[in-house]
Amino acid sequence: MPEIPNIPLGGRSRAWAVALCLSASPVATLEAQASLCTGPESRLGPSRDLYCVELVPAVGMRGAGRVELGRTPGPFTVDVSADGHLRYTPAFTLSGLAQPESLGRYTAYVAWVASPTLDVIQRLGVVDNGRTVLPPIALDKFLILITAESSGAATEMRGRLVLRGMSPSARLLPPDFMQFVLGSTRDDSSGGHEHHMPGRSDSLAWTMVPMPAGISMLPAEMTLRPNVAPYLPRTANTDSLPLARPRQLVRLTSGDTLRLTAGIVRRLFKGRTLTLFAFNGQYPGPLLEVAQGAEVTVELTNALDQPTTVHWHGIRLDNRFDGVPDLTQRAVAPGERFVYHLRFPDAGIYWYHPHVREDVQQDLGLYGNVMVRSARRDYFSPANREEVLMLDDLLLGDDGLVPFGATTTTHALMGRFGNVMLVNGEPRYALTVSRGEVVRFFLTNVSNTRTFNLSFPGARMKVVASDVGNYEREEWVESVVIAPAERYVIHVRFDRPGDVPFVNRVRGLDHLYGRFFSETDTLGVVRVGAGVSKPNLAESFATLRADTAVGVDVGRFREYMSRPADKALVLTMEANDLPFFSRQIMQLDSIYFTPVEWSGTMPGMNWAATGDEVRWILRDPATGKENMDIDWTFHRGDVVKLRLVNERRSFHGMQHPIHIHGQRFLVLAVNDVPNTNLVWKDTVLLPAGATADILLDLTNPGRWMLHCHIAEHLSAHMMMAFTVQ
Ligand code: C2O
Ligand code: CU
C-alpha cells in the first residue's frame, strides 16, 4: 500500500485506487454491492443485520460509516478457509470524517480488525470518506476499529480511535443468569413431550440423544423427547438378513436393463449389528456408469417395509420417471415394482435416492452415484486415477442407531447430524497413491443435513466441475464446501510421501456459551508412497484449464444475467407447539445466526422438534402463497431469473441447499456479488440471511419439484412444484 501523501484526496478516487490494487476485476462487484448496507433496505435483499457492521464515532469524534461483510466471488456460495473460518471481504463506506491533520499529528485513517479481547489486531488498510474495499477478515467475532495514524503505512495501532464497530457474531455472549435459571428448570408445561409411546409391543423407546463432545445441555433440554413414536427397521429374524456388500461398478449401455432392489440388510458396525437399507444389498448402492446420451431401463423392486420411489438427482430425464410420489408417480408399495426409463443428456456426476421419507430411507443407506461420461476424451484435464466418494454421517447412540420418527421427522430444526462420518459407507476411508499422483475425486454429499468443508492438508487442490458438468475455468481452492446433494469434482496432487488426512474442518458454535470452537473430522487418509507416479502430470496439473464448450454454452445466457429477477422465493419457518423451553432458548439464540450451521450443537432441542411442530416455508412474496400452494407455470425454453432470499428474521435462520428437479441453473450472484466463473448446478447452498440469484434454463417439460435438500426440512414441508409446458 503506497503511503498516502498529506494532500486532500477525494474519498471516492482513493477508494477506487485501493480497490484496484486488490484485484483487477471487481468493478462490477463493487457497484452491485453498493446497496447492501447503504440506502433503503430491501425486503428481498441480504440481511443487513448479519452482513453489515455499523460504525460509531469514539467520544469527541466526527464521522460515521458502515462496513459490508462482503463476499469474494468464488466457486462456492460461502467463502471459508480450510480451517473453517468464514471469510468476509470488508467494504467500508465512510462519511463525515475530518481531515486527519485536524486531530493532531496524523496524516491518514487506518482500519484494523481485532478480536473482542484485542489479543489479535490486524491491519486492514487505509480508509477515508467514500468507499474502500480491503482484504478479507477471517475471525469468528471481531471489532472493527478506525484510527488516525501519523502514517498510512502504520503496522501497529498507535493513533487516536475515531470509529468502531462490532461484528454481528460478537453479539453472541454467554447467557445471563436468567437464562440459566430458565434452562435448569424442568419444563412441566410440556408433559406431552415426555410421555412414552404406548401401543408398541416391541418396546422401542426414545432414550437420550448422543451428546457431542464439548457441548453442554441444560437440564430442561435433556428431558425433551420427540413427540412421535420411534421407528427403526425391524425384521423377525435379523440374523437371516444378508450382510451389506461394498458398492460395485455397473456399466450400462443404451438398451440395457438394470434390476434394482431396495431392501433391508445387516451391517456389522463398530462391534454392533445394525439393520439398514441398501440397493441390491450394496452400501452405497451400485455405481452406475453410462455414456452421455445413453438410454437405459431400471426395474425397481421394493423389498422394504414401507413405500418408496427412486429419484434420479440432477438428471434432466422424462418427468414421469423423476420418482416424486404424488407428482410424477404413485409411491411403490412394499413388494411392488416400477420401471424407470432413463436418459442422460448431460455429462457429470449424479446420484439416486428415494423420494419418500428421505430423512429415514436415504439415511439408512439408499443412495448411489450415476457417472455420465462425456464423449469428449479431453473432457477433464488428465489425472492418474479417479475416486468416486459418497459422504455421509450416521447418528449412533449407545444402543445403535438413534430411531427415526415413525409418522413424521425428528430433528426438524437443523436436520439430523450424524456422529460417525462415512465415506462410501465406511467409517475409515483409505487410499494408497504414488508420489506425484493427481487424483480426480468425484464428491457427493448424501448426508441429511451436514455441510462439509473438505481438504487434504498439504496437498494442492483445484475444483474442476460441479453438479451438471465443468466450470468455465478450473480454480485453485483450499477446501471444498459441499452441502447436501451437491457434487464437486476436484483434482488433488499428492507430491510428498507420507500420510495425508482427508478432513472436514469447521467452526462449531456452542450456543449456550456463545463461543465458536474448532471441529475436525478425519474422514480418511491418503497414503502417499515414495515411488514416483507415471505418467508425471505435474505440468498439466499446474495449469488451470478453461472448458471452452462450457464457456460457449454459458455465454448464450449472458444477455439474461443483468436483467431483474422474474420471481422470488423467501425461505423461512414457523413453529407451533414447541416446548416452552425450546421457544425461549431459540428466541435468545436468534440474536445471531451463523451463515452455516456446520454441526449439531443444540442436540436435544433439535432432536425433539418434529415435522408436526416445525414448518419450513418457501414463500412467493408476489402472491403470499407457500410451499405446495405455489403453482408457477413456465414455458419450455423460458429462461427465468429467480431470487432466493433466506429470511434472517425467521424463528430459526440457517442455510438451505435448494434443489430444483429436471432442469439446470447458473448461480449468478450471492448477496448481490456476481460470480465470475460459472457452472451448471441443480442444488445451491443459501447461507442464513443471504440471497442468491439463479438463472433457470427451463428445457424439460413436466411438473417438477423445488425443495430444500436437508432431508428433515423436506419432511417438514419445505417444497413446492412448478410446471414447464
Ligand atoms: Cu435429491 Cu428432490 O432430490
Ligand atoms: Cu432447509
Side-chain angles (χ1 to χ4, degrees), residues 86-345:
L86 290 167
R87 211 162 17 202
Y88 297 108
T89 300
F92 290 76
T93 308
L94 308 179
S95 61
L97 288 174
Q99 290 297 325
E101 296 76 14
S102 69
L103 302 175
R105 299 165 56 86
Y106 305 117
T107 63
Y109 290 112
V110 177
W112 313 84
V113 63
S115 63
T117 47
L118 300 180
D119 52 333
V120 178
I121 302 178
Q122 292 160 355
R123 177 192 152 96
L124 288 172
V126 172
V127 291
D128 202 346
N129 289 321
R131 189 179 161 88
T132 313
V133 179
L134 293 176
I137 298 172
L139 292 174
D140 294 324
K141 297 180 179 182
F142 52 89
L143 306 174
I144 289 176
L145 306 169
I146 293 176
T147 56
E149 297 289 344
S150 55
S151 156
T155 54
E156 258 178 77
M157 203 167 70
R158 290 241 171 89
R160 272 181 84 173
L161 181 63
V162 179
L163 294 173
R164 64 234 197 301
M166 160 180 111
S167 69
S169 54
R171 291 193 297 256
L172 282 171
L173 295 169
D176 60 24
F177 179 67
M178 280 312 290
Q179 189 179 339
F180 273 112
V181 171
L182 176 76
S184 54
T185 311
R186 271 185 60 103
D187 178 20
D188 292 322
S189 64
S190 65
H193 292 268
E194 293 170 38
H195 64 235
H196 300 288
M197 286 295 153
R200 282 187 68 110
S201 51
D202 55 6
S203 77
L204 181 62
W206 295 115
T207 54
M208 192 54 217
V209 75
M211 252 207 273
I215 291 294
S216 25
M217 269 195 257
L218 294 169
E221 185 181 7
M222 308 209 14
T223 65
L224 298 173
R225 297 290 180 273
N227 193 15
V228 58
Y231 162 83
L232 278 179
R234 294 241 168 147
T235 48
N237 184 1
T238 316
D239 295 341
S240 67
L241 286 173
L243 266 180
R245 292 171 293 125
R247 169 185 79 184
Q248 276 162 8
L249 172 65
V250 180
R251 291 207 167 88
L252 298 169
T253 53
S254 268
D256 282 354
T257 297
L258 171 76
R259 293 204 169 75
L260 195 67
T261 301
I264 306 179
V265 293
R266 191 163 50 103
R267 268 200 78 182
L268 305 175
F269 204 88
K270 300 206 162 186
R272 280 185 296 240
T273 303
L274 303 183
T275 304
L276 296 167
F277 290 171
F279 283 118
N280 289 2
Q282 298 171 31
Y283 194 113
L287 166 58
L288 312 184
E289 187 175 319
V290 297
Q292 184 178 356
E295 299 194 9
V296 306
T297 302
V298 175
E299 282 182 25
L300 171 74
T301 302
N302 182 2
L304 304 172
D305 57 355
Q306 53 189 284
T308 195
T309 61
V310 177
H311 168 56
W312 307 90
H313 184 116
I315 299 169
R316 295 194 287 172
L317 41 52
D318 277 350
N319 186 247
R320 63 204 154 115
F321 302 119
D322 196 44
V324 181
D326 307 323
L327 197 73
T328 68
Q329 70 170 95
R330 281 228 316 272
V332 186
E336 284 188 359
R337 293 178 343 126
F338 189 88
V339 179
Y340 293 94
H341 294 284
L342 311 179
R343 58 179 161 84
F344 306 93

Side-chain angles (χ1 to χ4, degrees), residues 298-544:
V298 175
E299 282 182 25
L300 171 74
T301 302
N302 182 2
L304 304 172
D305 57 355
Q306 53 189 284
T308 195
T309 61
V310 177
H311 168 56
W312 307 90
H313 184 116
I315 299 169
R316 295 194 287 172
L317 41 52
D318 277 350
N319 186 247
R320 63 204 154 115
F321 302 119
D322 196 44
V324 181
D326 307 323
L327 197 73
T328 68
Q329 70 170 95
R330 281 228 316 272
V332 186
E336 284 188 359
R337 293 178 343 126
F338 189 88
V339 179
Y340 293 94
H341 294 284
L342 311 179
R343 58 179 161 84
F344 306 93
D346 307 291
I349 182 83
Y350 302 92
W351 65 299
Y352 57 98
H353 61 79
H355 223 286
V356 177
R357 283 304 296 275
E358 286 87 330
D359 63 302
V360 178
Q361 297 189 8
Q362 190 182 296
D363 203 40
L364 284 168
L366 292 177
Y367 53 76
N369 269 130
V370 183
M371 171 83 74
V372 183
R373 294 284 185 190
S374 165
R376 275 164 53 198
R377 295 195 52 195
D378 64 345
Y379 184 75
F380 292 118
S381 51
N384 296 99
R385 78 170 74 210
E386 291 185 331
E387 286 281 292
V388 181
L389 307 185
M390 304 196 92
L391 311 167
D392 195 7
D393 59 353
L394 213 52
L395 183 60
L396 294 185
D398 293 338
D399 313 316
L401 268 182
V402 172
F404 301 88
T407 50
T408 185
T409 187
T410 58
H411 294 91
L413 289 173
M414 297 159 198
R416 179 172 165 127
F417 282 97
N419 51 7
V420 179
M421 307 292 145
L422 302 178
V423 175
N424 290 343
E426 289 297 329
R428 218 167 289 115
Y429 167 73
L431 174 70
T432 305
V433 302
S434 335
R435 184 151 62 94
E437 262 197 45
V438 174
V439 182
R440 171 154 54 242
F441 290 97
F442 295 87
L443 306 174
T444 305
N445 182 352
V446 302
S447 68
N448 286 19
T449 193
R450 183 181 299 273
T451 298
F452 292 91
N453 182 40
L454 302 168
S455 59
F456 296 90
R460 224 172 159 206
M461 170 159 100
K462 58 179 165 182
V463 65
V464 168
S466 187
D467 302 344
V468 190
N470 283 343
Y471 277 90
E472 289 182 272
R473 292 181 306 282
E474 298 177 344
E475 210 169 303
W476 297 114
V477 289
E478 56 180 278
S479 62
V480 176
V481 178
I482 183 167
E486 280 191 301
R487 283 90 64 211
Y488 286 100
V489 184
I490 56 172
H491 288 184
V492 187
R493 183 156 192 266
F494 298 94
D495 53 5
R496 269 184 299 248
D499 286 359
V500 179
F502 179 31
V503 291
N504 174 43
R505 295 169 73 197
V506 300
R507 301 292 290 170
L509 175 52
D510 182 340
H511 301 262
L512 200 53
Y513 290 97
R515 79 191 162 95
F516 292 86
F517 60 97
S518 272
E519 281 188 275
T520 301
D521 305 301
T522 303
L523 283 74
V525 63
V526 179
R527 311 227 137 91
V528 187
V532 176
S533 67
K534 279 192 216 68
N536 183 337
L537 301 178
E539 212 169 295
S540 58
F541 181 74
T543 334
L544 291 176

Side-chain angles (χ1 to χ4, degrees), residues 569-573 617-618 644-647 656 658 686 718:
L569 271 183
V570 175
L571 285 50
T572 184
M573 72 104 81
I617 298 168
L618 301 167
L644 300 170
V645 182
N646 195 351
E647 194 176 76
H656 300 278
I658 297 296
L686 204 62
M718 199 170 196

